Amino acid sequence: MYRILSIGLAACFLAGCAGSNATSSQADTQADTEALEALYWARLDSAKQSFTEADVAFMTGMIGHHAQALIMARMAPDQAASTQVRTLAARIINAQNDEIASMQRWLRDRDQPVPEVHIDGTKLMLHGAGDHSMMPGMLSAEQLDELAASSGPEFDRLFLTYMIQHHQGAVSMVDDLFDKDGAGQDEAAFKLSSDIHVDQITEIARMRRMLDSLFLTTQDR
Amino acid sequence: MDDSAAMRITPPSPDPRVGLGAGLFDAEEAIWNLNKLSSTPPPEAFVGVTNSDLAFKGQYALQGNYNGVMIWDISDPSAPELVTEYVCPASQSDVSVYGDLLFVSGEGTGGRLDCGTQGVQERASADRLRGIRIFNIADIRNPQYVSNVQTCRGSHTHSVLKDPNDDENVYVYVSGSAPVRPEEELPGCSGASPDEDPNSALFRIEVIKVPLANPAAAAIVSSPRIFDNLVAPPQHGASPADAAALEAARARGAFIVEFGGQETALPDRFAAQMLAGFMAERGGGDPAAADSAAFREALPEIIRQRFGAPREEGENAGPAPGPTQCHDITLYPELGLAGGACEGYGLLLDIRDPENPKRMDAVADSNFSYWHSATFSNDGTKVLFTDEWGGGGQPKCRAQDPKEWGANAIFTIGDEGMEFKSYYKLPVPQTSLENCVAHNGSMIPIPGREVMVQSWYQGGISVFDWTDPMNAVEIAFHDRGPVDPNQMGNAGSWSVYWYNGVMVSSEIGRGLDIFELTPSAAISANEIAAAKTVKLEYLNAQGQPRFTWPASFALAGAYLDQLERSNGLSGSRIMAIRSSLGQAESASTAARKRMLLSLATEVSTDAVRASDRGKTSVLAQAISMLAAEM
């Protein structure tokens, strides 16, 4: 963050501080705006230097973690999930696709290796990331096969059960990140990880309620 | 009457917000029914760092930034003057004011007690501030750091409550959505679940009491667990397409079961398996019609036995949890009400006892991802909740994103609690380069209508009418192209509020924008002039003041314009009343009073025959109020 201030001062010297001269002409105003824009992009670049290895490991791992959620959610339409589970699955696909793109962009912006996600049925191929099967909450190959072989109400029950497990894993990955020195100092990393944390906690609560309400008729409740 | 349906609004076509060129300070812009008075870039100490929320005090707009707080003198809204730059980093730096006090939220891990810019590297540190900072701004150019109150989850946002019955204190409701900090850093903080640790920082909000005579003594006074015993929320019904599919399945004789509170057709493959199992129990063989009928009858019990206890023992056991926190709590002290937007729920709270807010009602919605904020109608009979799907950092307004997701949901508030009416989402697609979702806004004090201005991040700002809760309609907008032409950047309007005649927007990257409404088919000059008669001494993002309108010709004219728009009164009477109002306005004071009294009586009589009796009576009252002023 010291770096940020020094860039600010440098731009001030070069271009004259914006607003410091009340009689500045239009040309000066133009120059001020250009200097301010240069400072804007310089500061954004500078903000990308404050990350830690823990942040990088988190982003890299979470891309693989999210990718498995995509595999699970993509099954819903073909396996006769209920309306509410299909809605949930569609939202998970939309949200986690966007978050994968954000995490890839975060890594690319910091010149880190960017895992590419390829999905073939229930098979996940990650290029540029290490072994992802040991991350918390990840489904085993057997669990994925079991989900893939189910349909209708059975799919709903398994999907919710396994997605809760999967989300709980993601939440604990954020908790682990915040338990490390220097992690989350990067504004974008803090925002991405805390958004994932709160979104998935919210979705876990939603899925538990859905699981509870499965097959219970109104009078039973 | 249905004002919005009666409005003859022709939105610009094609929508000029599509295809705007990118840029930071030189992006292409589209504007409709608004006039942009000024765009002022941030000063150097703050440029390139996120601008956040706004608060207002007197002639000043206070703008939060992840690097601190800026204070602008907006007496001349076409040329705001920066009077204070206070560098004190922390996200989100959401700001509120009361009297001479300024409150600032700190949530990020880099915030320091000493306002230093170097961040805090250690996971637990005595230097870290996560919570509320309190400043004295009696001298607006020299804020004095008074105190701070540390909280376990920091403060993502907060709400300042001035109880009408307590002049000695204000209360700050703290909402923090980030993970719980370690106990070594702040003793007593526990992220365990409440059944493991009754002192868990989860599943509660914090209430800070601030003695006005000694704000340095501000401290947490209670931690209400407003989420206790939340029952399973109502779900949305099936969409029309799903309902049609269900009927088609029923018609072809598919097996229908009730499932999660909704009827659903058993998939054929699954039903065939179950029927085979059923037949095996009955001794095998191919099912005859009688077997099928018996199976249909036995189906609910079979399903219950097979899936009746969906919860497995182990990590999914235990009570189904409610939210662990709120994102925003909008306080409406004059009504003793608050709207809590809390993870998967929208709550209605009774705040008449400020230290002990009580939950009155809760709603959920299967289309809502993350309940973010609430705005009440001025009379408190309606509430609008926003869904900040994706947290504001994602492009959720693309053509393929459903209109019910990342939108506003409008509810009426009645004796039975809140009732869902409709959604409103920014009605124009944005690109995948633009983070966009429903965000902060405020009511515009147009009498007799619910008109709101709202931020949609890089979707720009949208002004819409939700007088008819079933049918919200956009009536003005402003938008820029993406901040970055190559990838999604972080920009757009964080929040926009109506304050004393103008709309002030905090642009995340580009600074401070100020707009005024321009008259259109949707909003008349009288309505705008009447809105401008409402003067506030201060405004906080999460505090909703009750608007009251002083008597004015504009106010009477506004109601008359609304009657004309909705055909609530005959055209000839509207012309006659308008003419009488005009004559009275230009008459001498004594004559004016006489003319207005007589007109008020006439209009009261009109109300008996009018198709909109209610609004015609309100017009009569506005005219007699005006006469009484003379």
Side-chain angles (χ1 to χ4, degrees):
Chain A
M1 296 292 263
Y2 280 125
R3 189 195 334 254
I4 292 172
L5 287 182
S6 63
I7 289 174
L9 289 173
C12 223
F13 275 117
L14 291 173
C17 285
S20 62
N21 184 350
T23 60
S24 62
S25 69
Q26 204 160 357
D28 284 346
T29 310
Q30 178 70 25
D32 286 351
T33 304
E34 282 169 17
L36 205 58
E37 169 144 11
L39 180 54
Y40 174 92
W41 295 111
R43 192 166 277 156
L44 258 53
D45 282 343
S46 162
K48 291 169 189 162
Q49 312 302 319
S50 61
F51 61 91
T52 64
E53 275 182 37
D55 293 329
V56 174
F58 172 83
M59 298 292 173
T60 308
M62 193 60 86
I63 288 172
H65 203 271
H66 272 34
Q68 191 182 60
L70 295 182
I71 291 177
M72 297 166 67
R74 285 180 187 182
M75 295 178 190
D78 292 338
Q79 290 175 238
S82 65
T83 304
Q84 54 169 348
V85 167
R86 271 186 284 129
T87 302
L88 173 75
R91 189 166 24 225
I92 287 172
I93 291 170
N94 186 312
Q96 302 214 3
N97 257 327
D98 284 346
E99 283 172 1
I100 287 172
S102 289
M103 292 185 283
Q104 289 173 327
R105 189 168 59 242
W106 188 94
L107 290 165
R108 194 179 307 119
D109 280 351
R110 287 156 185 79
D111 296 324
Q112 301 298 309
V114 180
E116 295 296 334
V117 177
H118 297 283
I119 294 173
D120 177 15
T122 61
K123 296 285 174 289
L124 170 63
M125 283 156 287
L126 279 175
H127 301 291
D131 180 19
H132 51 272
S133 61
M134 297 308 286
M135 284 186 291
M138 291 290 277
L139 270 61
S140 65
E142 293 73 30
Q143 286 176 316
L144 269 180
D145 289 344
E146 185 189 7
L147 186 63
S150 67
S151 87
E154 209 156 50
F155 175 83
D156 278 15
R157 187 177 62 85
L158 278 176
F159 179 82
L160 292 171
T161 306
Y162 287 154
M163 194 59 89
I164 289 170
Q165 163 196 324
H166 194 265
H167 274 32
Q168 282 170 331
V171 168
S172 73
M173 286 167 72
V174 178
D175 287 334
D176 290 347
L177 171 66
F178 278 83
D179 210 27
K180 297 196 172 74
D181 288 347
Q185 295 280 308
D186 174 286
E187 183 191 316
F190 179 82
K191 174 153 181 60
L192 260 168
S193 56
S194 47
D195 281 350
I196 288 172
H197 193 256
V198 74
D199 285 353
Q200 302 219 358
I201 283 176
T202 304
E203 218 154 61
I204 289 168
R206 180 193 304 270
M207 291 189 289
R208 283 190 171 170
R209 290 193 306 263
M210 288 167 71
L211 203 46
D212 279 350
S213 69
L214 285 184
F215 306 110
L216 293 181
T217 58
T218 316
Q219 59 265 35
D220 290 332
R221 238 176 267 156
Chain B
M1 288 301 289
D2 182 348
D3 280 324
S4 47
M7 285 188 294
R8 278 174 286 280
I9 297 174
T10 316
S13 178
D15 195 307
R17 288 171 285 189
V18 174
L20 293 172
L24 175 61
F25 299 124
D26 54 356
E28 276 189 301
E29 298 182 38
I31 194 162
W32 179 52
N33 291 342
L34 296 175
N35 177 32
K36 195 176 80 175
L37 294 166
S38 60
S39 283
T40 314
E44 290 179 358
F46 296 87
V47 76
V49 184
T50 300
N51 290 317
S52 60
D53 220 339
L54 294 163
F56 301 89
K57 172 182 161 65
Q59 77 229 51
Y60 301 104
L62 296 93
Q63 185 177 26
N65 174 287
Y66 285 12
N67 252 1
V69 179
M70 289 163 275
I71 305 179
W72 305 87
D73 183 337
I74 55 167
S75 324
D76 177 359
S78 55
E81 184 198 348
L82 185 67
V83 295
T84 304
E85 302 178 46
Y86 194 97
V87 173
C88 185
S91 64
Q92 304 189 109
S93 289
D94 278 5
V95 287
S96 294
V97 293
Y98 183 77
D100 288 335
L101 298 177
L102 163 66
F103 303 90
V104 185
S105 278
E107 179 181 58
T109 51
R112 296 179 59 89
L113 285 171
D114 61 8
C115 290
T117 55
Q118 65 268 46
V120 186
Q121 295 302 318
E122 301 75 28
R123 64 176 278 281
S125 164
D127 297 325
R128 180 171 285 130
L129 175 285
R130 291 181 66 197
I132 297 284
R133 302 185 199 267
I134 305 175
F135 298 90
N136 185 305
I137 51 167
D139 177 359
I140 201 98
R141 290 169 189 269
N142 293 295
Q144 301 297 311
Y145 202 150
V146 173
S147 177
N148 57 69
V149 180
Q150 300 263 16
T151 60
C152 289
R153 304 187 71 177
S155 172
H156 190 69
T157 73
H158 67 269
S159 324
V160 173
L161 173 57
K162 168 62 183 68
D163 179 11
N165 301 315
D166 181 352
D167 289 331
E168 292 176 0
N169 304 285
V170 290
Y171 297 85
V172 182
Y173 288 7
V174 181
S175 298
S177 45
V180 177
R181 54 207 289 193
E183 186 167 21
E184 304 93 284
E185 181 168 284
L186 188 61
C189 289
S190 162
S193 77
D195 27 326
E196 291 166 32
D197 183 349
N199 294 318
S200 170
L202 306 175
F203 305 99
R204 72 184 195 199
I205 61 168
E206 319 285 359
V207 178
I208 295 171
K209 184 176 188 172
V210 185
L212 291 169
N214 181 21
I220 294 174
V221 67
S222 64
S223 301
R225 295 200 180 272
I226 56 174
F227 313 118
D228 281 356
N229 306 315
L230 267 174
V231 293
Q235 303 281 348
H236 244 83
S239 71
D242 292 323
L246 182 66
E247 283 319 305
R250 202 192 300 278
R252 67 163 203 272
F255 295 102
I256 310 289
V257 292
E258 181 167 340
F259 180 82
Q262 283 177 20
E263 286 198 315
T264 191
L266 274 187
D268 293 342
R269 180 161 55 115
F270 188 73
Q273 280 172 11
M274 290 182 78
L275 183 55
F278 184 73
M279 288 309 295
E281 279 182 21
R282 286 165 78 99
D286 285 338
D291 298 314
S292 229
F295 174 66
R296 203 176 289 274
E297 198 167 308
L299 197 50
E301 189 51 36
I302 295 172
I303 295 251
R304 202 189 318 277
Q305 281 176 6
R306 187 151 176 190
F307 300 105
R311 232 23 129 55
E312 306 269 338
E313 289 302 312
E315 59 181 349
N316 289 343
T324 76
Q325 257 292 350
C326 293
H327 185 283
D328 271 31
I329 301 173
T330 296
L331 307 168
Y332 198 155
E334 281 92 344
L335 299 182
L337 272 184
C342 311
E343 298 185 351
Y345 287 89
L347 307 185
L348 197 59
L349 303 171
D350 176 344
I351 53 165
R352 286 172 297 177
D353 175 0
E355 293 183 20
N356 298 295
K358 289 178 191 62
R359 191 176 78 237
M360 301 162 69
D361 192 23
V363 284
D365 187 306
S366 50
N367 282 317
F368 256 42
S369 166
Y370 185 64
W371 295 65
H372 175 275
S373 50
T375 305
F376 290 97
S377 64
N378 195 52
D379 63 3
T381 62
K382 285 178 258 187
V383 62
L384 176 150
F385 283 101
T386 63
D387 173 16
E388 197 190 28
W389 177 36
Q394 303 295 345
K396 299 303 193 189
C397 304
R398 295 158 299 195
Q400 72 268 28
D401 294 318
K403 287 187 168 49
E404 299 81 17
W405 295 1
N408 301 326
I410 299 169
F411 294 80
T412 51
I413 305 173
D415 294 338
E416 304 283 301
M418 293 180 277
E419 189 182 336
F420 171 79
K421 293 297 174 185
S422 70
Y423 298 108
Y424 174 80
K425 188 171 182 181
L426 185 75
V428 64
Q430 299 286 304
T431 66
S432 57
L433 298 172
E434 293 163 290
N435 53 319
C436 179
V437 75
H439 210 224
N440 297 351
S442 77
M443 297 299 291
I444 298 176
I446 291 178
R449 294 171 63 180
E450 270 76 61
V451 176
M452 180 169 167
V453 58
Q454 184 180 22
S455 288
W456 292 79
Y457 289 103
Q458 291 207 64
I461 70 173
S462 177
V463 179
F464 59 100
D465 181 308
W466 54 294
T467 311
D468 174 3
M470 294 299 293
N471 182 31
V473 181
E474 184 171 58
I475 53 183
F477 60 69
H478 173 262
D479 188 20
R480 287 186 172 91
V483 69
D484 187 327
N486 302 314
Q487 62 176 15
M488 196 187 67
N490 178 32
S493 181
W494 178 289
S495 55
V496 59
Y497 305 104
W498 174 279
Y499 182 68
N500 293 346
V502 292
M503 285 164 284
V504 184
S505 166
S506 176
E507 220 292 348
I508 289 170
R510 288 139 171 158
L512 195 74
D513 292 322
I514 306 185
F515 302 89
E516 64 180 358
L517 282 171
T518 57
S520 66
I523 303 185
S524 72
N526 280 320
E527 289 176 301
I528 296 171
K532 288 184 177 178
T533 64
V534 176
K535 297 290 180 196
L536 303 174
E537 289 171 17
Y538 72 98
L539 178 70
N540 291 322
Q542 294 186 41
Q544 191 166 339
R546 175 146 63 186
F547 297 139
T548 52
W549 290 266
S552 69
F553 280 97
L555 181 63
Y559 290 132
L560 192 60
D561 293 344
Q562 289 167 13
L563 284 166
E564 182 174 27
R565 197 181 288 126
S566 65
N567 295 317
L569 185 61
S570 75
S572 58
R573 284 303 299 149
I574 284 169
M575 271 177 65
I577 298 167
R578 183 163 288 141
S579 157
S580 302
L581 278 173
Q583 284 167 16
E585 193 167 8
S586 51
S588 68
T589 311
R592 185 186 286 180
K593 178 161 186 143
R594 183 170 36 78
M595 292 161 84
L596 287 171
L597 280 173
S598 149
L599 182 60
T601 312
E602 268 179 45
V603 177
S604 303
T605 313
D606 288 332
V608 180
R609 295 186 307 273
S611 58
D612 188 345
R613 293 177 187 182
K615 187 148 280 181
T616 310
S617 298
V618 169
L619 171 61
Q621 284 162 25
I623 297 170
S624 36
M625 245 168 62
L626 197 52
E629 295 265 301
M630 295 301 129

